[in-house]
Amino acid sequence: MAKYLAQIIVLGAQVVGRAFTKALQQEIQASQAAARSAGGGKRGAKAAAANSLTGMTSEEAQKILNVSKIDEEAINKQYEHLFKVNDKAKGGSFYLQSKIVRAKERLDQEIEEVNEAASRKKIKDGTEKQGT
């Protein structure tokens, strides 16, 4: 009887070990695919960090706010409208309101990164012109 019990325990441990290994491999592959789609390198790392901080990608944030491109004016307009429509005092959803806030935060991060890149380029172009 003890022999069968030991065999069952060993077999169960093997099954769990294989399942864990396969799940870990899938997670690594998904992580690598996400890094590749985010642009790889430093840009991909920044995008992954921003995604983990806000809990959503910029594409998901654009869908939530119903904007097709990252335009600060359009984002603010949609944010104000959706935030007011989902006000809990007016019978709206606090959950949806929080998703809207997170989406705006994520897109604000994208806008800030674009502005920083533009200012770095402007500074770089200015120093190159001075050097020539």
Side-chain angles (χ1 to χ4, degrees):
M1 181 74 171
K3 178 181 173 182
Y4 294 124
L5 186 58
Q7 286 179 340
I8 290 172
I9 291 172
V10 169
L11 186 62
Q14 288 175 344
V15 168
V16 169
R18 285 187 196 127
F20 179 76
T21 304
K22 187 167 184 156
L24 185 61
Q25 288 173 343
Q26 288 175 347
E27 181 60 33
I28 289 170
Q29 289 172 350
S31 176
Q32 289 172 345
R36 279 192 301 273
S37 71
K42 288 183 180 181
R43 187 172 142 232
K46 281 185 179 181
N51 292 347
S52 67
L53 284 175
T54 58
M56 70 177 63
T57 64
S58 61
E59 291 82 12
E60 183 181 2
Q62 286 176 302
K63 287 179 183 177
I64 290 170
L65 290 179
N66 195 26
V67 292
S68 57
K69 60 183 178 177
I70 299 178
D71 175 35
E72 193 167 6
E73 186 178 319
I75 291 169
N76 288 333
K77 182 179 176 184
Q78 281 295 101
Y79 168 76
E80 292 294 328
H81 170 70
L82 292 171
F83 193 83
K84 287 177 186 174
V85 167
N86 288 294
D87 187 9
K88 190 164 174 109
K90 297 178 183 176
S93 168
F94 179 73
Y95 172 76
L96 290 177
Q97 223 177 21
S98 66
K99 287 297 255 185
I100 292 164
V101 170
R102 297 292 168 251
K104 183 171 186 317
E105 287 175 351
R106 179 66 176 99
L107 293 178
D108 285 344
Q109 285 178 343
E110 286 291 316
I111 291 169
E112 186 177 318
E113 287 176 15
V114 167
N115 290 341
E116 285 176 7
S119 66
R120 280 193 304 268
K121 186 174 190 271
K122 189 182 287 186
I123 291 170
K124 183 179 176 185
D125 289 346
T127 57
E128 286 178 0
K129 286 180 182 177
Q130 289 176 359
T132 51

